[in-house]
Amino acid sequence: AGLPRFAREGRFQGFVGNVTDVHDRKHVENLAVFVAGVSAALAELTDSVSTMQKVANLVVPAFADWCAVDMVDEDGECRRLALLHADPAKLRTYRALLEKYPSRKDDPHSLPQVLRTGEPDLLEDIPDSMLEATAHDDEHLRLLRGMGLKSHVLVPIRSHGRMLGVLTFLTAESG
């Protein structure tokens, strides 16, 4: 909102007002709408690896640098159906990293935590202290830091009160 400002003799000097930056709020609102829509669509699906890969393809790189889709199977075990990054070399490195260093069950910002609680997890800024707490050893910490992770969103996928899986979105080089 702005108001014109005049000198005593009546000459126009400019406007006086204030501006509110709503970029961050709009970004979060758009994120929530997008994730809710994808989650609702996924809740209606039966097990389909190709559909999950399509979801990952929709979000990388337009929405996130990384996307993972993990679903709970009939035995209650979590199985990764899709993992995507635009750079195949980074994808291979991350897959090897996950195989060697699985998520800690007690990590409060992890896939196991979201599966356990059914609550989403949003970290707008991943601090180095979190990487240190997550790392299994010095080599793991070096690899995590090398990924350049900036933020993450882990969203539970539910249908009819039952936990089906988790969508994970990570930003890194895109910021």
Side-chain angles (χ1 to χ4, degrees), residues 36 38-47 52 70-72 115 118 155-166:
V38 170
S39 184
L42 290 175
E44 299 303 318
L45 298 174
T46 58
D47 184 39
M52 297 305 160
D70 296 276
M71 300 299 281
V72 178
L115 284 169
V155 181
I157 304 168
R158 290 181 283 239
S159 178
H160 308 291
R162 194 175 124 238
M163 177 63 87
L164 300 178
V166 175

Side-chain angles (χ1 to χ4, degrees), residues 2-165:
L3 297 172
R5 183 172 179 208
F6 297 94
R8 288 185 184 240
E9 68 277 357
R11 183 176 44 86
F12 176 74
Q13 290 183 313
F15 287 98
V16 177
N18 66 355
V19 177
T20 303
D21 182 1
V22 296
H23 177 266
D24 289 343
R25 187 183 80 211
K26 294 303 286 179
H27 179 71
V28 170
E29 287 173 4
N30 291 339
L31 169 67
V33 168
F34 174 79
V35 170
V38 170
S39 184
L42 290 175
E44 299 303 318
L45 298 174
T46 58
D47 184 39
S48 172
V49 175
S50 64
T51 300
M52 297 305 160
Q53 189 66 42
K54 286 178 187 174
V55 168
N57 286 326
L58 284 173
V59 300
V60 172
F63 178 73
D65 297 310
W66 298 88
C67 178
V69 181
D70 296 276
M71 300 299 281
V72 178
D73 64 19
E74 301 81 30
D75 299 327
E77 295 297 316
C78 192
R79 190 176 77 134
R80 176 144 294 154
L81 296 187
L83 177 64
L84 189 67
H85 187 280
D87 181 346
K90 288 186 178 187
L91 191 57
R92 283 190 298 276
T93 300
Y94 190 60
R95 280 191 173 129
L97 179 78
L98 289 171
E99 190 173 306
K100 185 173 181 180
Y101 302 106
S103 293
R104 293 181 183 273
K105 303 239 185 267
D106 61 343
D107 182 351
H109 301 287
S110 67
L111 176 71
Q113 178 70 8
V114 173
L115 284 169
R116 191 171 35 259
T117 65
E119 294 296 319
D121 187 63
L122 166 65
L123 277 176
E124 293 182 47
D125 182 35
I126 297 174
D128 192 64
S129 59
M130 183 183 136
L131 299 180
E132 290 172 355
T134 301
H136 292 248
D137 56 31
D138 289 341
E139 174 66 8
H140 188 204
L141 180 58
R142 185 186 68 73
L143 293 168
L144 287 172
R145 285 177 173 155
M147 290 179 67
L149 299 176
K150 305 278 190 247
S151 64
H152 82 206
V153 180
L154 286 84
V155 181
I157 304 168
R158 290 181 283 239
S159 178
H160 308 291
R162 194 175 124 238
M163 177 63 87
L164 300 178

